[in-house]
Amino acid sequence: MTRYGPMYGPDITFLGVPPCDLDALPPDADVVIVGAPFDGGTSHRPGTRFGPGAIRQACYLAHDGSRPSLALRVDPLRDLRVYDAGDVEMFSGDAAGAIARLEDAVHTVAATGAIPVVLGGDHTIAWPDATGVARQLGYGRVSLVHFDAHADTGDTEFGSLVGHGQPMRRLIESGAVRGDRFLQLGLRGYWPGPATLDWMAAQRMRSYEMTEIVARGLDDCLTEAFTIATDDCDGVFLSVDVDVVDPGMAPGTGTPEPGGLTSRQLLDAVRRCCYELPIAGIDVVEVSPPYDHAEITAYLANRVVLEALSAIARRRRGDPWNPRQPLLDGR
């Protein structure tokens, strides 16, 4: 799997981190970024094939491989050894071949001990992403924390088992992820229907709809979800669909659903996940640049990645982090 480079647009790395080849991964890698430019599973608005390139470059600062975090007091792109393996070749007209190649790429990264961070692409890619990590840690040994407006637990879509409305069902059916270690946050709207909800309940999934999150508070729901996610599992896969955020703050996505989290809430939640949980893999999906206004959604997705990496770097540093500490205290 020699570095393919970009499928669409210029060959750039995430904010200037060093490039690498999947068939010769650097032995010191802590994190390897992989692009998954696939939108063959979309059910409404396409365009997420352009997501990886948009996420990589959505920043007004120099692309110099450095991003000091004001809040966490780390530089995730320097304190962690982060590389970018480019895009996996994913022709949207060949869904089966595309997801097979992505699964192999993610497993290749996970097998080295590095954390794969996959830039989507539509949410179809969560199936090969989490499966690739489970192939390394063991089927049923990976829990999944899933931020999304939609459950993505449908059975078929347009007669196909492969699509962005079905990856979570495929993960559970395959045994890669246990249903009772599947945590979903941000669901809302008018899908899925009763039959699919009954299936989810039978798998013992835990799905936090926005009404519950508003009533209880996001932090309370996260704390409960983390307890489940770390019980009898060896790692956590974090899957972030940008449509979990209200479309007023993330318009560039294929299936916008009003009434979601704010961008601030998502960034805080991702920070908590990656600071408190043993993260084994991450994907950030459903950025569709053709529907984005002023790159709002791409900027958010870029910051989701940075927030995740900053929290992982701070967790590895080992000293407690105090979110109440004033910015200039101790500097």
Side-chain angles (χ1 to χ4, degrees):
M1 290 180 286
T2 302
R3 178 182 173 84
Y4 182 81
M7 282 196 69
Y8 308 101
D11 189 2
I12 57 174
T13 65
F14 181 78
L15 300 182
V17 302
C20 69
D21 288 345
L22 281 168
D23 58 0
L25 289 172
D28 66 343
D30 294 313
V31 173
V32 176
I33 293 170
V34 177
F38 180 78
D39 59 8
T42 54
S43 58
H44 187 42
R45 305 192 309 199
T48 53
R49 67 181 65 186
F50 305 114
I55 297 170
R56 284 185 172 108
Q57 60 188 312
C59 187
Y60 54 84
L61 298 170
H63 289 207
D64 57 0
S66 174
R67 282 299 180 277
S69 167
L70 292 178
L72 287 158
R73 302 184 178 216
V74 293
D75 185 336
L77 304 185
R78 295 279 176 88
D79 295 346
L80 299 173
R81 292 174 290 272
V82 182
Y83 297 88
D84 191 328
D87 289 346
V88 175
E89 189 173 2
M90 300 184 74
F91 172 49
S92 288
D94 177 18
I99 63 174
R101 284 189 289 274
L102 181 57
E103 180 184 321
D104 286 342
V106 172
H107 177 250
T108 296
V109 174
T112 70
I115 297 173
V117 176
V118 186
L119 311 179
D122 72 48
H123 220 157
T124 305
I125 71 168
W127 179 16
D129 292 343
T131 300
V133 172
R135 281 171 55 185
Q136 178 62 24
L137 295 186
Y139 271 42
R141 304 306 305 167
V142 179
S143 59
L144 202 144
V145 176
H146 169 209
F147 288 89
D148 204 328
H150 310 97
D152 292 353
T153 49
D155 189 10
T156 63
E157 190 169 63
F158 306 133
S160 176
L161 294 170
V162 181
H164 74 165
Q166 298 103 278
M168 308 314 172
R169 184 181 287 236
R170 301 288 93 87
L171 282 168
I172 293 171
E173 288 177 336
S174 70
V177 180
R178 290 163 45 179
D180 62 351
R181 295 298 179 273
F182 219 111
L183 296 311
Q184 302 183 307
L185 297 112
L187 306 188
R188 60 191 187 275
Y190 301 88
W191 184 90
T196 300
L197 293 174
D198 289 345
W199 181 89
M200 292 165 61
Q203 313 311 309
R204 299 173 60 197
M205 298 177 71
R206 183 63 172 97
S207 301
Y208 296 84
E209 196 265 342
M210 277 302 300
T211 305
E212 180 182 358
I213 291 173
V214 170
R216 294 180 54 188
L218 179 58
D219 275 339
D220 188 33
C221 294
L222 286 171
T223 298
E224 180 179 279
F226 290 2
T227 300
I228 300 169
T230 53
D231 178 34
D232 195 30
C233 280
D234 299 321
V236 177
F237 191 92
L238 174 63
S239 187
V240 179
D241 186 329
V242 293
D243 74 20
V244 74
V245 171
D246 190 274
M249 295 184 177
T253 193
T255 49
E257 182 64 53
L261 299 177
T262 66
S263 55
R264 180 70 263 162
Q265 285 177 307
L266 177 60
L267 293 174
D268 288 344
V270 167
R271 178 192 293 169
R272 273 199 67 187
C273 287
C274 294
Y275 180 67
E276 298 181 27
L277 298 174
I279 296 295
I282 300 170
D283 62 25
V284 181
V285 304
E286 296 287 353
V287 174
S288 182
Y291 294 96
D292 209 4
H293 172 70
E295 301 175 288
I296 294 170
T297 316
Y299 269 89
L300 174 60
N302 178 281
R303 283 344 193 218
V304 166
V305 175
L306 280 177
E307 206 67 47
L309 297 183
S310 296
I312 291 168
R314 184 63 195 236
R315 175 184 173 93
R316 292 190 179 188
R317 206 168 86 177
D319 57 320
W321 173 61
N322 176 14
R324 296 178 180 272
Q325 185 177 16
L327 174 64
L328 302 180
D329 184 32
R331 296 183 186 270

